[in-house]
Amino acid sequence: MTQQSPGKKPPSQKGKATSQKPELGVSLPSVLTVKQMADLLGITPIEAIKQLMRRGIMASVNQAVNYDDAAAIATDLGRTPVLKREEEKEKEKEKETPAPKQPPVSKKAAKAQKPRPPVVTVLGHVDHGKTSLLDAIRHSNVADKEAGAITQHIGAYQVTVDGKEITFIDTPGHEAFTAMRARGASVTDIAILVVAADDGIMPQTLEAIDHVRAANVPIIVAINKMDKPNADAERVKKQLGEQNLIIEEWGGEVLAIPVSAKKREGISTLLEHILIVAELAELKANPDLPAKGIVLEAKLDNTKGMLATLLVQDGTLKAGDIVVVENRHWGKVKAMFSDKGKRVKSSGPSTPVEIMGLSEVPQAGDAFTVAASEHEARLIIEKLQAQQQVRKAKSTTLTDISSQIRAGETKAVNLILKADVQGSIEPIKNSLERLQNNEIKVRIVHSGSGNITESDVMLAVASNAIIIGFNSRVEPRVKRLADSEGVEMRNYQIIYRIIEDMEKTVTGMLEPTYVDVTEGHAEVRALFKVKSAVVAGCYVMDGKVTSTSKARVIRKGKLLHESNVNSLRHFKDHVKEMGAGSECGISIEGFADFVIGDILEFYRKEKQ
């Protein structure tokens, strides 16, 4: 038992104790900010704000509190507060002999940046109540007299909490979230991960976690469906810990808020915590600049014509402005509508707005900016086109990364790992992560079982990653997307080959490799026996087939055989090449067991 000093009362044990030892004192100045108080007491700024809220004090992270309030919180946390009078003397000295000044900053520049609302995206498993939560947030923030205002839906909306606004982006899922990031659109400030308390973490939840992590934004977990009889929030918290999302009450930084979207319980707490996280991020923008931001969605209305929902990220958008959209067109803003359907004349930072006036339908994730004139709009479009060409020409391969490591230009290798079965993922993942050293980090951005998908490609674009497949199939449309986006995909059948190539990459010794370039596909529609050989009567579906092509025989999505084209005929004539839409006879070296409906994939080896 700890001995107490004579005449000194033991410190109060009220409130939540921290890991600090009770006998330790803490020296507090007469006035300090909430962040300074948190640092001195060894707690997070969020916990400091919570402690103040318990005492009825609403303060932001940069707001000042006096000694009495700070001392009371210190006592609640098992600390012995002492007024730091020496600090007051030091301050007086600093006033008499000021420290050397930093480079001067103009008053205009200092005033230009102003706080802006946080932009929040809600993600999660399809059945865990994402839409219900968004509806609950939206309805709980609309007064009865404004009930009609919630009928307008433009893919984004704002709610007001304690006089402060929060912008919510209503995306279809993490695929759309990442697709926008892949196009260069950094939209979200905070991600809300919805996990059902009765279901726990599901495969789609894991995907959402990986996508949000790749975006490097704060995560708040909303543990939904707490009204269910089998709800188990503690199980969800444990599962989050297994994914390295350590909640705050367990010493981590991730906030986990129990809610019930159905009963609209916990919504106000969730909104308050969003504001706290936003306060810590110190989000700012300059409302005095010409507007720039992101297209969230677009549609063609029967009465209003082309409508586009824009999120203004910086500056202020005004009616009459000339808006230049990334995909090569521009238009004059004829009218603007708020998320409540009201006509507005201007829209500031972090504010969603629907506009009329664009000449073409933009894509979600397109960047927009405001031009001073039509001539400037054309110049901006020319510049954007040049930047797009550079982006398309730029691709990242393992060979490139190996060269960059050798030259000391990069310190990380980002990978997306897909395998045919779940059991193959962990051993490959563990082996790859063991390859990293003090200088080079191997980062698995996402891993999963099944075929390589378009979502994997877009995540690779957004996180500058290489896709590694182990016995994973790649659909032709996915391959075309990867080629157009400059994403390298490597498929392996032997695990040690993956490890070998990655080891060479990490050490900067990987040599250029040969990759498969798909040339075309054909479907087997008839079978013919010519002498002792079996010839497949085929219809070329896309691309082409040549007499020198390599070929794969695929049946119901599974690879049966891989070799060379033995012969290519058009009727009785041997030919060198057949294009899409033509019929031909094909025999494959070492394979005769064709079945009608088989798909033949033709490719060539190309040095990379």
Side-chain angles (χ1 to χ4, degrees):
M1 185 177 291
T2 306
Q3 288 282 348
Q4 297 291 335
S5 302
K8 185 181 279 188
K9 293 181 181 180
S12 170
Q13 296 298 316
K14 292 186 295 177
K16 182 182 174 182
T18 67
S19 59
Q20 297 283 358
K21 293 183 180 180
E23 67 269 26
L24 291 180
V26 59
S27 186
L28 301 170
S30 58
V31 179
L32 71 169
T33 66
V34 173
K35 188 175 188 308
Q36 289 171 338
M37 180 182 73
D39 292 340
L40 290 170
L41 296 178
I43 58 177
T44 65
I46 292 175
E47 179 61 27
I49 291 172
K50 284 183 181 177
Q51 293 285 349
L52 288 166
M53 289 171 66
R54 292 189 185 109
R55 293 186 163 273
I57 302 169
M58 301 300 294
S60 65
V61 70
N62 292 317
Q63 196 167 324
V65 294
N66 60 36
Y67 170 79
D68 292 337
D69 292 329
I73 290 172
T75 304
D76 287 349
L77 296 172
R79 307 293 297 275
T80 304
V82 178
L83 181 61
K84 190 175 183 180
R85 300 191 181 278
E86 290 300 318
E87 183 172 285
E88 300 296 328
K89 295 178 183 178
E90 290 297 325
K91 284 185 177 179
E92 290 299 323
K93 285 182 182 179
E94 288 175 9
K95 288 179 182 177
E96 294 171 4
T97 51
K101 291 184 178 180
Q102 297 295 325
V105 178
S106 68
K107 290 183 179 180
K108 186 177 180 181
K111 291 180 180 178
Q113 294 288 321
K114 295 180 181 178
R116 64 171 177 82
V119 180
V120 180
T121 300
V122 181
L123 303 167
H125 188 67
V126 67
D127 295 324
H128 284 190
K130 179 182 83 76
T131 303
S132 301
L133 180 62
L134 283 166
D135 288 343
I137 289 170
R138 201 173 189 205
H139 283 75
S140 65
N141 201 251
V142 177
D144 292 339
K145 63 181 180 181
E146 300 178 284
I150 66 170
T151 57
Q152 181 77 7
H153 178 74
I154 65 170
Y157 54 89
Q158 287 188 323
V159 300
T160 305
V161 182
D162 297 331
K164 296 180 179 179
E165 292 177 325
I166 303 171
T167 300
F168 285 90
I169 305 295
D170 189 2
T171 64
H174 57 267
E175 293 91 348
F177 172 82
T178 299
M180 293 181 75
R181 284 186 53 241
R183 295 179 61 83
S186 299
V187 177
T188 306
D189 299 311
I190 301 168
I192 305 296
L193 180 69
V194 181
V195 184
D198 59 336
D199 250 1
I201 288 180
M202 302 293 281
Q204 204 170 357
T205 317
L206 296 175
E207 286 186 22
I209 290 171
D210 288 340
H211 283 244
V212 174
R213 273 189 178 139
N216 195 28
V217 295
I219 301 174
I220 297 176
V221 180
I223 304 178
N224 194 23
K225 302 189 180 183
M226 289 300 294
D227 54 287
K228 293 265 187 167
N230 57 337
D232 189 348
E234 293 305 312
R235 179 171 71 99
V236 173
K237 292 174 183 178
K238 183 181 177 183
Q239 290 176 332
L240 290 169
E242 291 169 357
Q243 300 303 318
N244 291 322
L245 290 178
I246 312 300
I247 63 172
E248 189 193 26
E249 62 187 86
W250 292 356
E253 296 182 354
V254 177
L255 293 168
I257 315 296
V259 299
S260 170
K262 184 178 180 181
K263 294 188 175 182
R264 296 183 189 172
E265 295 174 350
I267 304 300
S268 58
T269 304
L270 176 64
L271 294 174
E272 287 170 6
H273 280 79
I274 290 173
L275 287 178
I276 290 172
V277 173
E279 185 75 38
L280 294 171
E282 298 183 344
L283 304 169
K284 292 184 179 181
N286 185 353
D288 300 325
L289 296 172
K292 62 180 180 180
I294 299 298
V295 177
L296 296 178
E297 65 179 17
K299 61 185 178 182
L300 196 61
D301 188 88
N302 292 332
T303 56
K304 296 180 180 178
M306 226 296 298
L307 294 175
T309 302
L310 311 182
L311 176 68
V312 180
Q313 294 181 300
D314 207 3
T316 299
L317 183 66
K318 301 171 185 175
D321 281 347
I322 296 174
V323 173
V324 181
V325 181
E326 186 174 355
N327 61 344
R328 306 181 184 182
H329 65 272
W330 56 274
K332 192 172 185 178
V333 179
K334 295 178 181 178
M336 298 170 56
F337 303 92
S338 71
D339 61 320
K340 295 179 176 61
K342 296 179 181 178
R343 193 158 182 158
V344 293
K345 293 183 179 180
S346 63
S347 179
S350 296
T351 304
V353 65
E354 191 173 59
I355 69 164
M356 296 169 53
L358 291 180
S359 57
E360 298 178 30
V361 180
Q363 296 181 25
D366 280 348
F368 78 85
T369 187
V370 167
S373 64
E374 293 182 11
H375 175 67
E376 185 181 323
R378 293 188 182 94
L379 292 177
I380 291 173
I381 288 174
E382 288 177 9
K383 183 179 178 182
L384 290 172
Q385 287 176 349
Q387 290 175 350
Q388 282 182 338
Q389 292 301 321
V390 171
R391 280 202 299 268
K392 286 180 180 178
K394 184 182 177 183
S395 63
T396 302
T397 66
L398 276 184
T399 308
D400 294 335
I401 293 173
S402 182
S403 300
Q404 291 166 11
I405 289 172
R406 190 163 58 246
E409 296 172 0
T410 188
K411 298 291 182 183
V413 183
N414 292 339
L415 300 174
I416 292 171
L417 175 62
K418 297 300 288 283
D420 53 348
V421 292
Q422 189 68 30
S424 301
I425 295 172
E426 283 306 312
I428 299 174
K429 190 175 178 181
N430 293 337
S431 298
L432 290 174
E433 288 176 340
R434 278 198 295 268
L435 294 176
Q436 62 188 0
N437 51 49
N438 293 333
E439 295 181 357
I440 306 299
K441 185 175 179 62
V442 177
R443 183 180 173 221
I444 308 296
V445 176
H446 172 65
S447 61
S449 59
N451 292 344
I452 296 170
T453 65
E454 290 174 326
S455 177
D456 296 324
V457 173
M458 298 315 291
L459 181 56
V461 175
S463 54
N464 199 29
I466 306 294
I467 299 176
I468 300 294
F470 178 69
N471 291 328
S472 290
R473 292 286 306 147
V474 183
E475 297 293 332
R477 57 189 171 80
V478 177
K479 181 70 170 66
R480 287 194 294 271
L481 177 64
D483 290 341
S484 66
E485 295 290 346
V487 172
E488 182 182 24
M489 297 188 293
R490 292 196 171 210
N491 219 332
Y492 296 83
Q493 283 76 45
I494 304 172
I495 290 180
Y496 83 81
R497 292 287 187 195
I498 303 176
I499 310 306
E500 189 178 65
D501 279 359
M502 288 307 306
E503 190 170 21
K504 289 178 180 178
T505 300
V506 170
T507 56
M509 295 174 63
L510 188 68
E511 295 298 326
T513 57
Y514 287 89
V515 295
D516 297 343
V517 178
T518 303
E519 294 182 320
H521 295 83
E523 182 184 11
V524 177
R525 295 188 173 180
L527 301 176
F528 305 99
K529 196 161 186 178
V530 180
K531 297 182 181 179
S532 59
V534 175
V535 175
C538 298
Y539 174 78
V540 182
M541 301 160 62
D542 60 70
K544 65 179 181 178
V545 53
T546 69
S547 58
T548 58
S549 294
K550 292 183 175 296
R552 297 186 181 99
V553 181
I554 300 166
R555 184 174 300 162
K556 295 181 179 180
K558 293 184 178 180
L559 178 65
L560 293 186
H561 184 74
E562 190 170 5
S563 59
N564 301 313
V565 171
N566 192 35
S567 70
L568 178 63
R569 298 187 181 204
H570 185 57
F571 294 105
K572 293 183 178 181
D573 299 326
H574 287 277
V575 292
K576 290 185 178 180
E577 182 179 310
M578 295 295 291
S582 58
E583 295 180 341
C584 55
I586 301 172
S587 65
I588 303 296
E589 194 176 281
F591 188 82
D593 190 21
F594 292 106
V595 171
I596 293 174
D598 284 350
I599 300 297
L600 305 184
E601 182 177 79
F602 306 102
Y603 67 99
R604 69 179 186 275
K605 293 283 186 181
E606 191 172 273
K607 188 176 181 180
Q608 190 168 38

